Amino acid sequence: METRNIKAEIESKIHDPILRSNLENFSQQYPAARAKAYANVADIDELRDDLRDMKQYSVAHVEELADEFQTSLEQRGGKVFRAKDGDELKKILLKICQENDVHNIVKSKSMATEEIRLNDYLEEQGLRVKETDLGEWMLSVAGQHPSHMVMPAIHLNRNQCAKFFSDELKEDIPSDIPFMVQTARRVLRKEFLNADMGISGANFGIAENGAIGLVTNEGNGRIVTTIPPIHVIIMGYEKLIPKTSDASKIMRLLPRNGTGQRMVSYLTLVDGPTPIIHEKNGEMVEENKKVYAILLDNGRLKAAHDPVMKEVYQCVRCASCLNVCPIWSTVGGNVYGHIYSGGIGAILTGLLNGLDEFSQFSDLCIGCRRCTTVCPGKINIPDLIQELRNRQVAKKGLSFPEKMIFQKIMTNRKVFHSLLRAASLGQKPVKSGKFIRNLPLFFAKMTEGRSLPAIADKPFRDRAEKLLQNNPANPKMRIAFFSGCNLDFVFPETGESVVKVLQDIGAEVIYPQEQNCCGKPIIGAGDLDTARRLAKQNIAALEATNADYVIAACPTCAETLEQTYKELFKDDKVWLERAEKLSKKLKEFSSFVEQIYADNGRLKNTAGKEKITYHDSCHMRRSLGIYKEPRELLKSAPGYEFVEMTGADQCCGMAGSFGMKYADLSIQLLNRKLKNIKESGATTVAVACPACMMQIGGGIDKMAPNIKIKHIADILAENLGDN
């Protein structure tokens, strides 16, 4: 395994103006194109469910489908081989070439052949290989690899393409796209006619009749599979589907998701050898062409039998997860692993190339979950990435600093909180008001483009006793407040606002001092044993309050307590039962308050002078499914006029430790968010997540000091006297 400097690669991509322009334009255009393609579809989720169910059946019967596919194709005159890995496939293919006196090969786009570096091998054996997909052809000339599964050369502009054309053809090719396309046709036509063999991949392989389907927008795929006298199909086991009718389930989604089209230009079905006329020994003869199919394992069958990772078989390689990924749309695909990019690429790299290679870039997934909203196969990509992280930690262990912080400090509440208090004192030389605007030496990058929030002089837990003296005499409910680390030690004033609002709606609020960090950073790092220790502390602390509800004003904490704790204890009956009881009591602050406000008539549209907009936390919007309630609260807040910003649900770039580890990349996402906030015309941006408040607030402090940022609890608390 080659060790890479991922941070250096990211920095070079961030400062590549061509790459950034191409990706930015595409990421802005894609959502509208996809929406237009689905405009007349009554129920997209129904289509996604059909595809997911079909693919789940396929993976459960993958060996049976492989046998049926082989029998069907061989009955039609083809020949099927099975390769356990790339090396075995190369040997099989070389033997086919030698037996058939093959010298010239044309290829259509195939990620499976990229995966095993097939072209390099064939050329080393003295064979001439020509890519015929326009993007793949240019990349082969440039000595590059695809940055996208559908649009491999999306990172190049037309001037770069023209240079590659000119270098390859030894003639001056202008950067005129129609001219370059015509030039490619002229040059490749000769390659097609002189080819002894055509190699293609497959978008699907149908078991009942041995047919394969190719989905393309260029005619090269159809020509590669028809003109040469030999056609070799190379595909992974995940492409197998039971019946021809199942192909429609793929075709209703793949074009719409992949390129924003209702249908691609070419859908080619190849179902075995067909008669062709070609030159042989100086004469034109008619004979059946030869068709070979090689099924590639390379870790796929092991994944098929993995109770968790088999979900990856639901992928149809549309790359829509890349198209909406904030990381891919900022730095492109080449910073990822072996061949496959984006979140799904991280998973495939882990399964096909091993966890060591996966671990080099696995934390580029920030868990924003935008991919889950578009994936046609409904793959839970962030959870599969997390599962691979867990396995890597179980196999290799944590680094020494992580082990010390997670296992020795964070699980010991008194030590953890004592260190935070000490940090509050230690930060004074670099603190300015409530922010740290500049850090020295190698920490400097963390404060380029944003300020960092300072740790509060007095945490919320030291303010709670006095605040709780204002509980109502005749409470309507009893609420335990889970503050989380940020509202306790960074934004204690917001913690106070939460309590005041809860008291205002008639709640007796309890603050259990024994509560600790929810454990999300530890869970994200893959240390589940330590996470369970923390979870037990918090469950016990909250149980002791005997509260009717547990309120969290941090969506990350809410998700962790409500959902993740149950997953942590799925194999522990006693603690699972306790986690489930906690889950039923857990409520996210804004959605809980909005329901009560709606019931008592407080939600009224108000006219205000100050424009306010709202940023959706990723955990809030896509994990908890909460997005309407905060907007209703803001629309009813006296003195404000609510305006929606563009990209309200796009990640702000904080994403826990990611915001510190990949500071440059985090700032790029932040700048995108700040641009949208400014363009909304709002002078206040509201959030419901303290981590987002840290990131966006730090950016505003540096880049837009005329704009204020407030937690929804603060906005509600400042208007309590008006209700």
Side-chain angles (χ1 to χ4, degrees):
M1 181 192 72
E2 178 187 357
T3 302
R4 300 163 52 205
N5 188 338
I6 302 293
K7 289 187 177 180
E9 292 181 35
I10 287 173
E11 187 168 358
S12 71
K13 302 300 181 186
I14 287 173
H15 294 98
D16 182 341
I18 294 173
L19 172 74
R20 295 294 308 280
S21 175
N22 289 0
L23 297 182
E24 228 168 87
N25 290 337
F26 174 74
S27 62
Q28 289 173 2
Q29 295 166 5
Y30 173 76
R34 180 180 181 273
K36 184 177 180 181
Y38 279 108
N40 297 317
V41 177
D43 191 342
I44 299 173
D45 267 343
E46 185 177 342
L47 296 184
R48 296 171 74 199
D49 288 341
D50 285 347
L51 175 60
R52 177 201 59 200
D53 295 346
M54 183 271 288
K55 294 288 276 182
Q56 286 180 344
Y57 175 88
S58 298
V59 69
H61 300 84
V62 64
E63 278 97 348
E64 298 167 35
L65 294 181
D67 291 341
E68 187 179 356
F69 177 84
Q70 179 168 352
T71 299
S72 298
L73 182 54
E74 291 186 344
Q75 284 176 348
R76 290 173 179 262
K79 178 66 177 174
V80 178
F81 298 91
R82 307 195 193 191
K84 65 180 180 181
D85 55 27
D87 289 341
E88 186 172 359
L89 187 148
K90 291 169 185 174
K91 292 176 183 176
I92 293 169
L93 183 57
L94 181 61
K95 186 177 180 182
I96 293 172
C97 291
Q98 292 169 340
E99 290 175 349
N100 292 279
D101 195 28
V102 170
H103 300 282
N104 297 311
I105 299 172
V106 288
K107 286 179 73 255
S108 65
K109 188 166 75 67
S110 164
M111 295 302 292
T113 62
E114 291 274 3
E115 176 187 318
I116 61 173
R117 311 286 194 195
L118 181 62
N119 289 13
D120 294 341
Y121 172 79
L122 293 175
E123 288 170 354
E124 288 169 2
Q125 304 307 312
L127 298 168
R128 188 171 187 274
V129 184
K130 202 72 176 178
E131 291 287 354
T132 63
D133 173 90
L134 193 54
E136 290 278 357
W137 180 47
M138 286 185 291
L139 292 180
S140 66
V141 171
Q144 299 180 15
H145 293 290
S147 63
H148 190 278
M149 286 186 277
V150 175
M151 295 163 283
I154 191 173
H155 57 288
L156 304 176
N157 69 5
R158 62 181 184 177
N159 294 320
Q160 291 172 311
C161 294
K163 183 180 185 304
F164 296 142
F165 268 70
S166 300
D167 292 345
E168 174 73 359
L169 303 178
K170 310 302 180 189
E171 58 182 281
D172 187 21
I173 303 296
S175 59
D176 177 76
I177 293 175
F179 184 87
M180 285 190 280
V181 172
Q182 289 300 326
T183 301
R185 285 175 176 164
R186 170 174 58 85
V187 172
L188 291 175
R189 189 172 292 122
K190 297 176 184 177
E191 301 290 346
F192 291 129
L193 294 173
N194 293 329
D196 306 310
M197 174 187 286
I199 297 177
S200 78
N203 290 94
F204 50 84
I206 304 171
E208 72 173 352
N209 57 16
I212 65 152
L214 288 173
V215 180
T216 67
N217 277 317
E218 299 176 28
N220 67 303
R222 185 166 292 179
I223 300 173
V224 162
T225 60
T226 53
I227 291 182
I230 301 169
H231 174 206
V232 177
I233 304 155
I234 296 175
M235 66 176 181
Y237 282 85
E238 76 277 11
K239 300 296 181 71
L240 294 170
I241 60 175
K243 300 180 180 299
T244 304
S245 58
D246 293 322
S248 67
K249 298 173 182 177
I250 295 174
M251 293 309 300
R252 287 180 296 181
L253 289 159
L254 176 55
R256 288 181 164 102
N257 264 48
T259 53
Q261 299 170 278
R262 292 181 64 188
M263 177 51 81
V264 292
S265 302
Y266 301 93
L267 169 58
T268 303
L269 295 175
V270 181
D271 63 353
T274 54
I276 61 167
I277 298 174
H278 69 111
E279 184 180 346
K280 188 174 183 180
N281 299 325
E283 297 181 4
M284 301 304 293
V285 297
E286 179 178 306
E287 60 184 11
N288 276 352
K289 70 183 299 171
K290 295 181 179 180
V291 175
Y292 302 89
I294 308 176
L295 292 175
L296 176 63
D297 181 357
N298 208 30
R300 288 167 170 82
L301 291 179
K302 182 180 179 182
H305 296 289
D306 188 305
V308 178
M309 303 312 299
K310 66 182 181 181
E311 190 175 335
V312 78
Y313 267 68
Q314 292 157 219
C315 176
V316 294
R317 303 295 194 270
C318 70
S320 58
C321 54
L322 275 65
N323 300 345
V324 299
C325 174
I327 305 302
W328 181 88
S329 64
T330 304
V331 296
N334 291 135
V335 301
Y336 288 87
H338 181 56
I339 287 298
Y340 302 104
S341 59
I344 193 67
I347 297 166
L348 292 170
T349 297
L351 293 175
L352 306 179
N353 295 86
L355 291 177
D356 287 343
E357 187 160 338
F358 158 82
S359 66
Q360 291 191 75
F361 60 91
S362 66
D363 48 5
L364 287 183
C365 174
I366 55 179
C368 72
R369 309 190 80 84
R370 291 193 81 198
C371 53
T372 65
T373 66
V374 299
C375 174
K378 289 195 166 182
I379 304 172
N380 201 326
I381 292 173
D383 283 5
L384 295 188
I385 291 174
Q386 184 61 55
E387 174 66 18
L388 290 178
R389 286 177 186 156
N390 299 345
R391 294 180 183 187
Q392 177 71 353
V393 169
K395 177 183 176 184
K396 297 280 189 177
L398 294 168
S399 67
F400 179 75
E402 287 176 319
K403 188 178 293 186
M404 286 298 297
I405 293 170
F406 294 161
Q407 299 177 4
K408 302 298 182 183
I409 296 175
M410 292 186 70
T411 54
N412 189 322
R413 180 179 59 81
K414 291 183 179 179
V415 171
F416 181 35
H417 292 165
S418 295
L419 288 174
L420 287 173
R421 293 175 192 275
S424 174
L425 297 174
Q427 72 189 358
K428 287 187 176 180
V430 293
K431 180 181 175 184
S432 177
K434 293 186 177 181
F435 290 99
I436 298 170
R437 294 192 169 94
N438 295 287
L439 285 173
L441 304 174
F442 47 84
F443 296 110
K445 274 191 177 295
M446 294 183 184
T447 51
E448 284 182 7
R450 68 181 172 194
S451 301
L452 296 178
I455 297 174
D457 295 333
K458 186 177 182 181
F460 176 82
R461 61 181 51 247
D462 291 354
R463 310 177 187 207
E465 183 178 356
K466 182 178 180 181
L467 192 63
L468 300 184
Q469 292 174 3
N470 297 321
N471 279 335
N474 299 301
K476 300 175 183 177
M477 64 195 87
R478 183 178 173 88
I479 289 178
F481 174 39
F482 187 86
S483 64
C485 303
N486 283 330
L487 292 186
D488 192 354
F489 284 90
V490 181
F491 301 114
E493 293 83 2
T494 298
E496 291 183 0
S497 295
V498 170
V499 171
K500 290 174 183 177
V501 172
L502 295 177
Q503 290 172 334
D504 182 64
I505 60 176
E508 175 193 1
V509 182
I510 308 103
Y511 185 78
Q513 292 283 339
E514 293 78 15
Q515 66 177 277
N516 203 340
C517 170
C518 69
K520 183 63 176 179
I522 299 174
I523 295 167
D527 186 2
L528 300 189
D529 287 340
T530 304
R532 291 186 188 98
R533 289 170 58 192
L534 266 179
K536 289 178 180 180
Q537 292 178 22
N538 287 322
I539 291 172
L542 293 166
E543 285 175 341
T545 64
N546 196 29
D548 301 310
Y549 303 102
V550 175
I551 295 292
C554 168
T556 304
C557 293
E559 178 200 20
T560 304
L561 271 64
E562 182 185 16
Q563 300 173 11
T564 313
Y565 280 8
K566 290 185 290 185
E567 297 166 12
L568 286 175
F569 295 115
K570 62 184 178 182
D571 298 322
D572 186 328
K573 184 178 179 181
V574 174
W575 279 98
L576 175 60
E577 183 178 343
R578 295 172 73 172
E580 287 175 338
K581 287 182 179 178
L582 171 62
S583 174
K584 292 174 182 176
K585 292 185 176 184
L586 196 286
K587 304 292 179 183
E588 186 277 326
F589 170 78
S590 66
S591 57
F592 180 77
V593 172
E594 190 273 342
Q595 183 59 58
I596 292 176
Y597 275 22
D599 291 343
N600 63 25
R602 285 196 190 182
L603 294 183
K604 300 175 183 177
N605 289 330
T606 60
K609 294 182 179 179
E610 184 175 351
K611 289 186 177 181
I612 190 169
T613 192
Y614 176 69
H615 160 74
D616 290 281
S617 145
C618 298
H619 287 282
M620 187 93 147
R621 176 75 186 245
R622 287 179 284 272
S623 292
L624 299 177
I626 298 170
Y627 54 95
K628 294 179 181 178
E629 295 90 333
R631 288 168 169 80
E632 291 301 316
L633 290 172
L634 293 173
K635 289 174 183 176
S636 68
Y640 292 105
E641 175 193 349
F642 179 75
V643 292
E644 192 73 55
M645 78 164 93
T646 301
D649 67 341
Q650 291 178 354
C651 183
C652 67
M654 187 63 211
S657 61
F658 170 88
M660 299 295 110
K661 183 174 181 179
Y662 296 101
D664 286 346
L665 187 45
S666 175
I667 294 299
Q668 298 302 315
L669 303 186
L670 172 61
N671 288 341
R672 194 177 299 168
K673 178 62 63 175
L674 293 177
K675 178 176 178 288
N676 291 339
I677 292 171
K678 291 174 184 176
E679 289 178 351
S680 74
T683 54
T684 298
V685 54
V687 297
C689 172
C692 296
M693 191 154 66
M694 288 173 61
Q695 174 81 337
I696 299 173
I700 285 173
D701 182 65
K702 274 272 179 90
M703 310 298 291
N706 58 312
I707 298 176
K708 299 183 288 292
I709 185 165
K710 297 180 181 180
H711 193 285
I712 284 181
D714 296 319
I715 293 168
L716 297 179
E718 72 189 20
N719 290 299
L720 288 180
D722 297 322
N723 293 320

